[in-house]
Amino acid sequence: MRKNYDMAVIGGGPGGYVAALRGSQLGLNVLLVEKERVGGVCLNRGCIPTKALLSDVEGIHWSRRAAREGIILQEPEISLAAMMKRKQTVVDKLVDNLEKLLAAAKVDVLRAAARIAAPETVSLDTGETCHAGSIVIATGSTAWAPPISGIGLPGVLNTRQALELERIPESVVIIGGGVIGQEFASLFAGLGSKVTVLEVLDRILNEVDKDIAKRYATLVSARMRTETGIRVDSITTDGEKLKVHYEKRAQEKSVEADVVLLATGRRPYFDGLGLEELGIEIQSRAVLVDRRLRTSMSGVYAIGDVIGGKMLAHVASYHGEMVAENIAGHGRDVGDEPVPACIFTTPQIAWVGPTEEQAQESGLPYRTSMFSLSANGKALALGESRGWVKLMEDSTTGRLIAAHLLGPQVSELVSELALAIQKGLSAADIAGTIHPHPTLSESVREAALGFLGGPVHAAANVKSFNGSSPVSRRVATSKSITD
């Protein structure tokens, strides 16, 4: 192992390892320090393991429908142990592949906790000290737990512990109705648990377009109970059960469960790095950076969740590529590129660009077009036709500004729309592109046609906002699907 490097990266998650790999491609000598396994929370305890389990739940969901329709003769028996084993196999394979990639790129990887002792100096808890011309902080984020009495009781879990459960709980209370809470709610509901979601705000999925969030809540209401506008007071034990006490509209209420899951959000993590001692500026609990991801100390950069903003793995990876290029001398600024986001619930949610509420607050004149997946042949063939594609265009320029989707596999549809928005395309550009049949992507084209006189296979709802008030109209077209 070298003692002097061009770049030292602290944190081996999707930001850190991408920065290390890109730095190596650009000819830098790179050290990557990670105190656990490379891949970070996303690969080991977040994105990948949850998606492996949720993929199995989709299969369970299909089999239950097939049993109801007589396609298979009985509903499946679920082995949580087998699901957990497959989940871990997926994670281990990806970690192994990543370790091989880093080795092939000649990135030195050390398993240790790091501290920035001085400019260009990284101290490790192994007793070693390394020097680097540039240091990249890529330490991510950590789960945040609210100050609720009783959160230390057995059976009150964080998401990491929930991914290690050995049996399916009969009942689960999830505190937090955001992205993480809703994904776990879909997981446990799919496994057959009785799920209750408690959310302090007046609706779940506050970051999602209100129209889409409301439709999602309606679709899942039969599978889980949701209480919004509440304040959790405490968690106590009641025999073998846990009891969550909360207040709603000045009324004291409670709900029992076998397991309570805390899904109350994440915060930037930089404990033990010594940033305060070095005088590196922190703002709103996040490391402050400029458009080239430089901190207030020369030679020290920060990327991903640790700088706040959109805490998404793909944003961290984008930062990782950019910071390596900046260190290598290829000056790049963080831009205002549209960032797609996905929620892997059942059904899925995906979006890119502002919500309709955000557009209204900005006073932007816009139009929306919404198309129902009930008129999409592939969705009907999948048996998953409950969903919508909602597009937003600037009514002055005609350019697409946002897309909000709800339905099966919509996470695979949003990239087309992110590209369209980034390139300043219009609904006519989308509608003028041939989409293969039968696919879910046809629903994107149909929604675009809503701005151009109406879709082919259904009626679309079109709404305009002139900067002060919305005006709705329904585009009348054929309501039957024809091939």
Side-chain angles (χ1 to χ4, degrees):
M1 187 195 78
R2 303 165 57 92
K3 290 293 183 181
N4 296 286
Y5 295 88
D6 299 315
M7 178 171 73
V9 183
I10 304 173
Y17 78 70
V18 168
L21 289 169
R22 182 62 179 143
S24 176
Q25 289 175 346
L26 294 170
L28 302 177
N29 295 313
V30 182
L31 169 68
L32 178 63
V33 183
E34 168 56 52
K35 65 181 180 180
E36 296 190 37
R37 297 213 302 175
V38 292
V41 170
C42 178
L43 199 163
N44 291 282
R45 304 184 301 279
C47 316
I48 298 303
T50 55
K51 296 340 166 255
L53 294 171
L54 285 164
S55 177
D56 291 339
V57 165
E58 286 185 4
I60 294 167
H61 178 70
W62 174 88
S63 64
R64 285 175 177 154
R65 178 183 63 80
R68 289 194 303 269
E69 296 177 358
I71 297 168
I72 59 178
L73 299 182
Q74 61 183 19
E75 289 194 8
E77 292 186 22
I78 301 169
S79 170
L80 184 61
M83 288 178 62
M84 291 296 184
K85 181 179 179 181
R86 192 187 80 86
K87 173 262 295 182
Q88 197 58 47
T89 298
V90 171
V91 170
D92 290 345
K93 181 177 179 62
L94 287 170
V95 170
D96 181 61
N97 288 345
L98 179 55
E99 289 173 343
K100 289 175 180 176
L101 271 175
L102 290 164
K106 295 182 170 53
V107 173
D108 284 346
V109 180
L110 288 179
R111 189 163 183 171
R115 181 175 178 274
I116 304 175
E120 302 186 5
T121 306
V122 177
S123 296
L124 309 178
D125 64 354
T126 58
E128 298 170 284
T129 298
C130 300
H131 300 276
S134 298
I135 298 170
V136 179
I137 302 167
T139 45
S141 60
T142 187
W144 173 75
I148 299 171
S149 174
I151 62 171
L153 290 172
V156 180
L157 311 178
N158 58 31
T159 55
R160 181 173 187 170
Q161 293 164 326
L163 290 171
E164 302 299 330
L165 283 173
E166 296 180 351
R167 64 177 183 84
I168 300 172
E170 291 184 10
S171 54
V172 180
V173 170
I174 299 176
I175 301 176
V179 173
I180 296 172
Q182 286 302 310
E183 287 194 349
F184 273 93
S186 278
L187 172 60
F188 284 116
L191 294 173
S193 301
K194 179 182 177 182
V195 176
T196 301
V197 177
L198 301 178
E199 169 57 50
V200 66
L201 299 177
D202 61 0
R203 70 177 174 96
I204 60 172
L205 297 173
N206 192 57
E207 56 270 71
V208 174
D209 182 85
K210 189 173 183 179
D211 197 15
I212 294 296
K214 183 178 179 180
R215 291 169 187 263
Y216 169 81
T218 300
L219 290 181
V220 301
S221 61
R223 291 188 278 125
M224 63 187 75
R225 173 190 169 202
T226 302
E227 290 267 31
T228 58
I230 62 91
R231 186 192 71 215
V232 178
D233 294 323
S234 64
I235 305 170
T236 61
T237 56
D238 187 2
E240 295 184 354
K241 297 280 188 178
L242 291 164
K243 182 176 284 189
V244 181
H245 304 269
Y246 62 99
E247 180 183 313
K248 181 170 183 175
R249 299 192 186 99
Q251 182 180 3
E252 296 294 331
K253 306 179 74 172
S254 66
V255 58
E256 285 188 344
D258 296 303
V259 166
V260 175
L261 174 64
L262 299 176
T264 46
R266 301 185 66 82
R267 287 184 174 174
Y269 178 79
F270 45 84
D271 293 0
L273 285 181
L275 305 190
E276 294 86 351
E277 294 89 332
L278 292 169
I280 292 177
E281 193 170 351
I282 307 297
Q283 188 176 83
S284 300
R285 298 192 181 94
V287 179
L288 185 66
V289 296
D290 65 11
R291 292 182 72 85
R292 294 203 171 174
L293 300 166
R294 297 173 293 204
T295 70
S296 58
M297 172 172 279
S298 178
V300 179
Y301 299 74
I303 62 174
D305 286 9
V306 77
I307 67 172
K310 292 182 171 68
M311 293 188 180
L312 299 168
H314 43 287
V315 171
S317 295
Y318 166 70
H319 288 168
E321 292 182 15
M322 180 169 292
V323 77
E325 292 178 16
N326 283 334
I327 290 170
H330 307 280
R332 286 184 62 190
D333 287 350
V334 173
D336 297 318
E337 293 87 353
V339 176
C342 305
I343 309 176
F344 294 87
T345 46
T346 304
Q348 292 182 5
I349 300 170
W351 72 95
V352 59
T355 65
E356 188 171 351
E357 302 78 59
Q358 290 167 339
Q360 287 186 10
E361 289 171 4
S362 69
L364 175 71
Y366 67 87
R367 294 198 303 161
T368 67
S369 173
M370 183 170 285
F371 182 80
S372 171
L373 292 185
S374 63
N376 176 266
K378 181 62 179 291
L380 287 164
L382 290 172
E384 298 290 343
S385 59
R386 299 178 303 167
W388 292 267
V389 173
K390 177 180 180 178
L391 302 183
M392 296 173 59
E393 70 169 10
D394 184 320
S395 54
T396 302
T397 66
R399 290 182 173 182
L400 290 172
I401 58 172
H404 303 277
L405 305 94
L406 170 65
Q409 300 303 317
V410 294
S411 58
E412 302 294 341
L413 302 182
V414 73
S415 293
E416 171 188 0
L417 292 160
L419 178 62
I421 293 168
Q422 181 168 322
K423 296 302 181 182
L425 302 184
S426 67
D429 294 316
I430 295 289
T433 301
I434 297 174
H435 289 64
H437 176 78
T439 64
L440 296 170
S441 69
E442 291 175 286
S443 61
V444 173
R445 181 174 183 270
E446 295 274 14
L449 285 169
F451 293 124
L452 305 169
V456 175
H457 293 100
N461 287 320
V462 177
K463 182 170 66 175
S464 298
F465 183 83
N466 61 13
S468 59
S469 61
V471 179
S472 297
R473 68 185 176 90
R474 189 169 178 81
V475 178
T477 60
S478 170
K479 295 185 180 180
S480 62
I481 294 180
T482 59
D483 289 318

